[in-house]
């Protein structure tokens, strides 16, 4: 979830172990020495009120870390590296903030982009479009969407890769098999347009919405993931007529850009979506 990250460090030796229980995350991190004399540790903006009991773990026991403002300061960690532990009130953050870039509660599903590697407790499903291999500290804030809860998770092999699909359980007008079939055909036509799936191993997280809503968001930093909302009243014919899922999948083929250039991201997805669908007969040339 929101991993405690060393500020002002482009590449650091960070290793996280995170467990979840009773709506909270218990985070333990090993931090290598880093060039910040004050030893400042920080979280994403808005996450600070939900970080609790930050401790440095030593051979002699646990030592509380001083908090000043929105940061914690551990000079000894900066000088020699250290092992820290803290709690993150995940469910409380989701209920209080309702921010998809921090944490949101959808029924019993908690969605939150992770800033650490997560090892959930027994009985809890966790999905994330995490990249493989080591990460720099600067990448933690941009990691992909993720969720805990009662999820059906499917790996869809496609041309040139696979798409990981996680569907939150809900009462819908379409069955799970119909929903997954629509997702598979939409992803296949995008893979056909590009010649391969643009982002192998990307995550598509499908969450329920009210009525006939269909909309989504794509994150491409850290790794690729899509947060997709599908109204519980949407039946299969309506889903097949919609453009939003293909639009979001097309985003996987274009890098995330700064706000100044969002027009290019949206422009490409808007341009490609009807062409890709027309090529497989989902739309007429007109």
């Amino acid at each position: 979830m929101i991993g405690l990250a060393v500020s002002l460090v482009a590449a650091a030796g960070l290793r996280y172990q995170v467990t979840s229980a009773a709506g909270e995350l218990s985070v333990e991190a090993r931090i290598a020495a880093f060039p910040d004399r004050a030893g400042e540790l920080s979280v994403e903006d808005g996450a600070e009120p939900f970080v609790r009991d930050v401790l440095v773990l030593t051979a002699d026991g646990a030592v509380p870390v001083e908090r000043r403002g929105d940061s914690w300061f551990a000079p000894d960690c900066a000088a020699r590296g250290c092992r820290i532990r803290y709690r993150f009130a995940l469910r409380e953050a989701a209920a209080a903030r309702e921010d998809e870039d921090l944490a949101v509660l959808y029924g019993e599903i908690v969605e939150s982009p992770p800033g650490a590697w997560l090892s959930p407790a027994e009985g809890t499903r966790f999905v994330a479009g995490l990249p493989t291999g080591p990460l720099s500290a600067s990448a933690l804030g941009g990691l992909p969407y993720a969720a805990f809860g009662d999820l059906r998770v499917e790996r869809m092999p496609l041309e040139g890769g696979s798409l990981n699909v996680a569907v939150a359980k809900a009462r819908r007008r379409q069955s799970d098999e119909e929903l997954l079939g629509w997702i598979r055909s939409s992803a296949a036509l995008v893979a056909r347009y590009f010649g391969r799936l643009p982002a192998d191993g990307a995550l598509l997280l499908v969450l329920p919405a009210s009525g006939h809503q269909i909309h989504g968001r794509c994150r491409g930093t850290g790794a690729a993931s899509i947060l997709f909302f599908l109204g519980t009243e949407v039946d299969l014919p309506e889903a097949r007529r919609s453009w939003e899922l293909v639009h979001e999948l097309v985003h996987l083929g274009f890098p995330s850009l700064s706000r100044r250039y969002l027009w290019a991201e949206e422009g490409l997805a808007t341009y490609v979506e009807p062409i890709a669908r027309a090529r497989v007969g989902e739309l007429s040339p007109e």
Side-chain angles (χ1 to χ4, degrees):
M1 287 305 110
I2 308 302
L4 199 64
V6 179
S7 61
L8 305 177
V9 181
L14 297 172
R15 176 173 293 182
Y16 290 87
Q17 181 175 350
V18 183
T19 56
S20 65
E24 283 196 345
L25 301 180
S26 176
V27 184
E28 187 170 312
R30 294 182 180 273
I31 301 176
F34 57 96
D36 177 10
R37 184 174 299 176
E40 183 177 3
L41 307 170
S42 62
V43 292
E44 289 187 31
D45 291 344
E48 300 90 352
F50 309 103
V51 176
R52 315 278 164 78
D53 302 332
V54 182
L55 304 169
V56 173
L57 306 179
T58 71
D60 298 323
V63 179
V65 177
E66 177 191 7
R67 179 175 179 177
R68 299 200 302 269
D70 290 335
S71 296
W72 290 259
F73 293 85
D76 288 346
C77 286
R80 295 184 291 274
C82 66
R83 187 160 58 102
I84 65 170
R85 185 171 64 209
Y86 62 96
R87 296 184 298 114
F88 183 74
L90 176 67
R91 194 175 185 89
E92 182 182 335
R97 289 291 189 262
E98 296 186 354
D99 180 352
E100 292 161 2
D101 292 324
L102 178 60
V104 186
L105 192 62
Y106 298 100
E108 293 303 310
I109 304 295
V110 179
E111 178 277 320
S112 179
W117 183 262
L118 302 175
S119 301
E122 186 67 26
T124 300
R125 298 301 300 272
F126 166 72
V127 291
L130 287 167
T132 58
L135 297 169
S136 69
S138 60
L140 293 177
L143 287 178
Y145 294 114
F148 289 93
D150 192 5
L151 300 159
R152 176 172 177 175
V153 181
E154 299 280 343
R155 180 178 178 273
M156 290 186 178
L158 296 159
E159 185 175 354
S162 63
L163 178 68
N164 295 313
V165 180
V167 180
K169 294 184 179 180
R171 296 177 65 89
R172 297 184 177 88
R173 291 283 300 277
Q174 49 187 305
S175 68
D176 282 0
E177 297 310 316
E178 288 176 329
L179 173 59
L180 291 169
W182 169 56
I183 292 171
R184 185 177 292 106
S185 63
S186 298
L189 71 85
V190 171
R192 179 176 177 179
Y193 177 87
F194 284 106
R196 63 183 302 277
L197 187 68
D200 183 21
L203 170 69
L204 174 65
L205 176 58
V206 182
L207 297 173
S210 61
H212 294 266
Q213 294 184 54
I214 306 177
H215 58 94
R217 297 177 62 185
C218 184
R219 288 173 71 114
T221 51
S225 60
I226 296 170
L227 187 61
F228 194 73
F229 300 92
L230 184 66
T232 54
E233 294 300 314
V234 176
D235 59 17
L236 185 58
E238 182 180 359
R240 286 177 171 167
R241 291 192 301 270
S242 66
W243 55 268
E244 290 87 350
L245 178 57
V246 173
H247 176 97
E248 296 302 331
L249 289 166
V250 169
H251 274 301
L252 298 178
F254 198 69
S256 291
L257 302 175
S258 64
R259 181 175 296 274
R260 180 181 178 184
Y261 300 105
L262 288 182
W263 61 268
E265 287 188 53
E266 289 303 322
L268 178 70
T270 301
Y271 174 78
V272 169
E273 171 265 319
I275 296 174
R277 293 174 65 206
R279 285 184 176 180
V280 298
E282 283 199 5
L283 288 179
S284 68
E286 292 78 24

